[in-house]
Amino acid sequence: MDETVAEYIRRTVLKIPRDEIKTMLEKWGLLSETQLQTINFRQIKESISQDVVQLCEENSVDIKQAAVLDIIYNHVYPNKRVWCVYQMKKTGEEAEFFDLTDFKKKFKGRLRSALKNVTINFREYEDNAIWIRIAWGTPYTKPNQYKPSYVVYHSQTPYVFISASVLKSNLPLLCQALVLASNYHDIREMELRSHSLNSLKDIVFKRYSQNFQTHYPRPLQERNVAPKSADLRIIQENRNEKERIERVNREVFGDGPQPKLEFAQYKLETMFKSDPQMDVLDKKEPFRCLVKFSSPHLLESLKSLAPAGMADAPISPLLTCIPQKARNYFKIREKKHFFPESFVSP
Amino acid sequence: MAELQPYNKLPALSCAVLLLVGSDGGLQQRLAEAILREKKNFKINIHLAASLPLPPERDHLRPRIDLVAFMIDIKSKYSLKNVEASLAYVDDSFFLGKVCFLVTGVGRVNYCSVEMNAIRNLGEVYCSPVLFCELEVEGSQVATAQRLLRMLEICAGHVPGVSALSFSSLMRNCADD
């Protein structure tokens, strides 16, 4: 077995938390039951990884098989990577039957014809998700296994989730290969990025709890009727206002948990509006400004702003439209009308 | 009558009423509970409001308010704006010792969003004392509760020989030093 393969397996095993190593190796399936039983999983990770490498030597594991362990790790811990969402477009309307072997062949063919040195792995999961791992090389160097790109494609949908490696130059080729292999016509990047792959899926597949405009208003429900120890000496003067805020919040955000995003970024290309007497910026050109909101869980924190008394309800639609518009990177330009308000570009 | 008036109702016997005005409801509740835990020899009611004016529909049920404490969170410009907007709905005679400003969150130096100048200015313009506290710290919470309780006692007229006006002048003279 090649030294590089041994080192790669060792480093991959070291990434896995100690309690998960046995289950992942079983899923991997490259070591037999008897071989697995010889490993002491209670020793330190360094020793475990060396034992695993030893056993892989016995089985003559190659780099493509080793890469499968990496896919398994990333499938269990997808939130360690940043995922971007892409949408593919079809010209015709017919829903063609998806042939997995055809897809794989075309995908590999397109990549290999452009780049000789690539390692490509496919793995299918129950929810119709196809995970693709690509390690990129150049015409003169072997593929870099430590900076792979990951693609998650749900074949029944036009959406692709890509976690690009740092080597961004390979992105156009990757997109080309995807479009060709899946019989689509075009691909575009939706301005939607996050660490949480499941939340991105929730947003584009509309799986989060949205609030639909009902024709019949909901009857007033008595939620949290009385506080736990209602001290009668403390009187809430603005109870109606508090209830209004709760109601507006529920209408905007829905009842369920919000998808997990970490950022919202607004690129402003609007004119600076100052007091005409001050005459700041005599050149009438757009004032470039970038506003970035960051949070461990952005949408939940926006939802809790009004009840916590930090903002007025309802919150600006620029913030609340994020799940519906399925984007968290916006460009705001001037509205070319009589009204001086700005609008969000499509 | 949208404005809060200090003397348009009759006082109740051996009773004092505090009004806390501030945008952070949770913090108000905690402070109110801390005040109620202190030992006192008169009845006390605490009204919590997010902003002024108070809802007019409950006006007939509301007792006379002895002390108004405006809560400003130093980490939130929004809370300062909220207080500044509410001050317009308070009658002038309240500012003769029956109003104070309570600035919370001063323990977190890195997150100060409201400038000290703005707060000092507020205290000077409205001739009212400014108290600083950190309600997340147990000790500061208890101390603030005790101070407010004492001020409330004076403003309700339960301390013979000391009036709200004389007390606030005393506090301002000390602060100037």
Side-chain angles (χ1 to χ4, degrees):
Chain A
M1 195 168 76
D2 202 345
E3 260 179 19
T4 48
V5 181
E7 179 61 13
Y8 183 70
I9 296 176
R10 190 185 74 85
R11 289 220 218 159
T12 312
V13 174
L14 279 178
K15 272 199 298 193
I16 309 172
R18 200 174 64 164
D19 301 329
E20 299 279 319
I21 297 181
K22 183 149 190 257
T23 13
M24 286 210 196
L25 289 177
E26 281 166 358
K27 275 196 206 148
W28 191 29
L30 235 56
L31 302 177
S32 67
E33 264 297 319
T34 34
Q35 281 179 314
L36 281 178
Q37 273 164 12
T38 64
I39 305 177
N40 172 12
F41 288 101
R42 303 188 73 83
Q43 54 186 333
I44 55 168
K45 280 214 285 194
E46 310 284 347
S47 318
I48 299 180
S49 62
Q50 271 160 15
D51 287 350
V52 172
V53 170
Q54 197 93 21
L55 292 170
C56 289
E57 284 267 6
E58 291 172 21
N59 293 8
S60 310
V61 172
D62 67 21
I63 190 64
K64 207 153 178 254
Q65 292 167 315
V68 176
L69 186 59
D70 191 36
I71 298 189
I72 294 173
Y73 170 75
N74 277 289
H75 177 78
V76 177
Y77 297 103
N79 301 346
K80 296 220 181 264
R81 308 181 76 95
V82 176
W83 298 89
C84 307
V85 189
Y86 289 74
Q87 188 181 20
M88 295 195 284
K89 288 208 248 290
K90 231 193 248 273
T91 36
E93 255 85 47
E94 342 82 60
E96 288 162 20
F97 176 68
F98 180 74
D99 185 354
L100 184 61
T101 358
D102 189 50
F103 173 82
K104 288 189 198 176
K105 203 172 78 176
K106 284 195 187 150
F107 186 81
K108 279 194 283 206
R110 182 71 193 88
L111 283 187
R112 290 234 164 87
S113 66
L115 214 58
K116 255 194 317 198
N117 288 320
V118 272
T119 314
I120 307 172
N121 287 77
F122 297 90
R123 197 168 167 88
E124 297 87 52
Y125 285 93
E126 329 72 46
D127 55 348
N128 272 326
I130 302 166
W131 277 63
I132 313 173
R133 176 187 181 279
I134 307 115
W136 306 92
T138 71
Y140 312 105
T141 61
K142 293 222 295 195
N144 184 345
Q145 301 297 337
Y146 297 96
K147 296 199 163 95
S149 302
Y150 272 92
V151 175
V152 178
Y153 174 45
H154 283 251
S155 52
Q156 308 302 318
T157 76
Y159 296 106
V160 186
F161 305 89
I162 300 182
S163 170
S165 68
V166 189
L167 315 164
K168 286 218 166 48
S169 52
N170 293 307
L171 202 54
L173 178 59
L174 177 59
C175 290
Q176 234 178 47
L178 279 168
V179 169
L180 183 71
S182 53
N183 293 321
Y184 276 85
H185 158 250
D186 195 9
I187 184 170
R188 74 167 182 114
E189 183 179 357
M190 297 171 70
E191 301 282 342
L192 183 62
R193 274 163 239 162
S194 174
H195 277 280
S196 169
L197 180 61
N198 282 332
S199 292
L200 290 176
K201 288 190 194 183
D202 284 345
I203 292 178
V204 288
F205 299 154
K206 305 259 175 243
R207 295 197 299 219
Y208 62 98
S209 70
Q210 302 167 80
N211 230 319
F212 299 101
Q213 286 274 339
T214 45
H215 185 61
Y216 303 99
R218 260 207 289 218
L220 275 174
Q221 284 165 3
E222 286 289 321
R223 281 174 187 260
N224 304 327
V225 174
K228 302 79 127 201
S229 55
D231 192 334
L232 291 170
R233 294 172 294 175
I234 301 178
I235 295 115
Q236 295 277 359
E237 290 283 348
N238 296 106
R239 199 184 291 278
N240 288 345
E241 178 65 13
K242 282 198 178 26
E243 281 170 9
R244 182 194 77 92
I245 290 177
E246 288 279 321
R247 202 182 57 234
V248 167
N249 236 28
R250 255 208 314 273
E251 280 169 20
V252 170
F253 289 99
D255 276 323
Q258 301 291 311
K260 192 162 188 227
L261 295 173
E262 295 89 40
F263 299 107
Q265 188 171 294
Y266 298 83
K267 201 167 186 178
L268 301 179
E269 286 168 8
T270 48
M271 305 293 281
F272 186 76
K273 292 189 185 68
S274 70
D275 192 346
Q277 294 163 4
M278 283 168 62
D279 200 24
V280 181
L281 283 186
D282 42 341
K283 272 188 283 183
K284 286 291 163 198
E285 58 178 45
F287 188 74
R288 287 168 218 285
C289 172
L290 190 74
V291 180
K292 190 171 184 180
F293 293 88
S294 59
S295 163
H297 198 319
L298 184 70
L299 294 177
E300 279 293 337
S301 57
L302 289 176
K303 185 175 175 182
S304 50
L305 274 181
M310 286 192 230
D312 288 324
I315 304 230
S316 160
L318 281 172
L319 291 167
T320 55
C321 69
I322 291 173
Q324 282 103 300
K325 288 215 157 99
R327 63 186 300 174
N328 56 350
Y329 285 75
F330 297 86
K331 264 205 186 71
I332 304 183
R333 289 192 209 101
E334 289 284 354
K335 201 172 190 178
K336 296 178 181 70
H337 287 165
F338 302 117
F339 321 104
E341 300 161 43
S342 50
F343 78 110
V344 181
S345 69
Chain B
M1 197 153 37
E3 283 186 345
L4 212 57
Q5 302 274 353
Y7 298 114
N8 64 338
K9 297 186 187 186
L10 290 174
L13 195 59
S14 193
C15 200
V17 178
L18 169 67
L19 171 66
L20 294 177
V21 180
S23 51
D24 188 342
L27 212 59
Q28 282 180 333
Q29 180 80 21
R30 269 213 301 251
L31 180 60
E33 285 165 5
I35 294 174
L36 290 172
R37 279 197 288 268
E38 295 294 318
K39 260 172 36 142
K40 53 211 169 288
N41 48 9
F42 53 94
K43 282 206 293 280
I44 179 170
N45 273 325
I46 304 180
H47 289 239
L48 307 180
S51 63
L52 297 178
L54 296 174
E57 20 333 323
R58 305 198 64 232
D59 205 38
H60 58 289
L61 296 167
R62 214 172 285 130
R64 186 176 92 160
I65 293 177
D66 297 303
L67 173 64
V68 183
F70 288 96
M71 294 175 69
I72 300 169
D73 187 351
I74 209 162
K75 306 191 289 289
S76 161
K77 278 204 171 83
Y78 176 76
S79 70
L80 179 63
K81 277 205 184 68
N82 183 40
V83 163
E84 282 172 348
S86 302
L87 281 165
Y89 295 95
V90 180
D91 185 63
D92 296 339
S93 35
F94 246 114
F95 294 104
L96 297 170
K98 287 177 169 246
V99 169
C100 80
F101 295 99
L102 190 62
V103 180
T104 64
V106 297
R108 301 197 184 232
V109 181
N110 293 342
Y111 296 100
C112 281
S113 186
V114 176
E115 286 155 30
M116 274 299 113
N117 274 338
I119 293 177
R120 243 177 262 133
N121 205 25
L122 208 60
E124 272 170 24
V125 166
Y126 289 96
C127 302
S128 300
V130 182
L131 305 179
F132 295 89
C133 66
E134 173 53 81
L135 294 177
E136 311 247 341
V137 173
E138 182 70 33
S140 179
Q141 189 184 64
V142 170
T144 313
Q146 286 171 347
R147 288 175 90 178
L148 280 175
L149 194 60
R150 194 65 177 146
M151 285 179 70
L152 179 62
E153 207 180 343
I154 292 168
C155 293
H158 293 316
V159 180
V162 186
S163 74
L165 187 56
S166 61
F167 183 68
S168 74
S169 317
L170 183 68
M171 283 202 68
R172 287 202 7 251
N173 289 337
C174 291
D176 284 341
D177 295 334

